[in-house]
Amino acid sequence: GRLLIVCVSNHERCGARVVVSRSFADFTPQASFDIKKCDVHRLEEGPPLKAELTREQGLQYYRIMQTVRRMELKADQLYKQKIIRGFCHLYDGQEACAAGIEAAINPSDHLITAYRAHGYTYTRGVSVKEILAELTGRKGGVAKGKGGSMHMYAPRFYGGNGIVGAQVPLGAGIALACQYQGNDQVCVTLYGDGAANQGQLFESFNMAALWKLPCIFICENNQYGMGTSMERASASTDYYKRGDFVPGIRVDGMDVLCVREATKFAADHCRSGKGPIIMELQTYRYHGHSMSDPGVSYRTREEIQEVRSKSDPISMLKERMLSNNMASIEEFKEIDVAIRKEVEDAAQFATSDPEPPLEELCNHIFHNNPPLEVRGTNPWVTLKSVS
């Protein structure tokens, strides 16, 4: 593979042509990076302080994070055009969490999250096209247009969940199933700092610890629960210690390598039968809590700008790769162009695909059931549920 940049000047007529050729063999195939030390709770040692990154991995993580970023910005645009309606919680700023976790677990492992779920839906294998079509409520959406922003699912991805904290006991249940089946799989159970004071979390931690369930509980701490800063909501903001008897680690959630190494460490902990572990990923969301929150009444624009300029997960990875000669600026530009096109095409599909017909409204209420009459809002409405 050779990267060819052809500069054509006015001298083209005279046959003068400057060709800059750069072979991929010129790039550094692999590099080792220092990563931030994790704070640990009830552990002898934490994840390693160095992370290996191959050129292929770097480009793959960049592609994933940039796709999620572009997709969320497109969702923002479609929302403002009133094409997407209702609840819509965007993930931009937190991309290193989803990309890093997915890089450290197997496709056969399980993942469940709260309602800021677009990023995880993508990393778990759903296309941008199906995600955007779900947001616009169309037939070709991942949940057939009936789930919307907070309710997308995929194999071994148990979706966004609309009730604050409710996915945590469910995640413990999925981990119980892994243990029961003895399949060496783990369940990644995510929640935000806003859900961290829910009683159901502590009940789940307790059960998981008693039964040594292979569950990685991850608090994505993006500093604000809706419009309330974590300091105003939690008497203790050391979320990684809040499992008390469950070991924990606090991780830089803006660095995809940090997240990957910590998740590998946590997954090994669970697979070796030591029971659950808690991870706190310190991250940040650029958008408001949801599309109805402008996000600047409880924090300053300067604060958001500072995070963007100093610790943006995508820029940090790109800088690392460029400064170690692992890729070229042109390559990143090419990837960006391809992603923009993919997102544009997906948006085109999401705005032209038809909405599901009314007769499909009640389908799939039950699994594997004979067709069933469903009562409507009045005696004349007859609906059927087909599984």
Side-chain angles (χ1 to χ4, degrees), residues 71-72 74-76 78-79 83-90 115 117-118 128-138 140-143 145-152 350:
M71 177 175 79
E72 294 300 56
K74 180 51 79 176
D76 170 89
L78 293 171
Y79 200 96
I83 295 168
I84 295 173
R85 313 299 291 255
F87 289 104
C88 188
H89 307 83
L90 301 182
Y115 40 76
H118 309 165
V128 178
K129 185 170 123 174
E130 288 175 287
I131 295 170
L132 289 183
E134 189 54 50
L135 292 176
T136 56
R138 308 303 170 100
V142 60
K146 296 194 253 181
S149 169
M150 308 193 291
H151 305 289
M152 306 192 206

Side-chain angles (χ1 to χ4, degrees), residues 227-295:
T228 309
S229 72
M230 57 171 183
E231 292 82 12
R232 290 179 57 215
S234 296
S236 161
T237 55
D238 289 336
Y239 296 109
Y240 71 111
K241 291 181 179 174
R242 299 279 297 271
D244 186 13
F245 37 77
V246 178
I249 44 179
R250 181 161 58 192
V251 185
D252 177 359
M254 297 303 263
D255 177 355
V256 68
L257 296 183
C258 237
V259 177
R260 185 191 72 184
E261 294 306 312
T263 308
K264 272 186 190 163
F265 175 87
D268 290 344
H269 175 96
C270 289
R271 287 192 224 276
S272 62
K274 292 178 188 163
I277 188 166
I278 292 174
M279 270 170 70
E280 176 189 343
L281 303 180
Q282 292 184 306
T283 181
Y284 200 82
R285 60 169 157 80
Y286 295 154
H287 263 87
H289 167 72
S290 69
M291 287 302 293
S292 55
D293 163 27

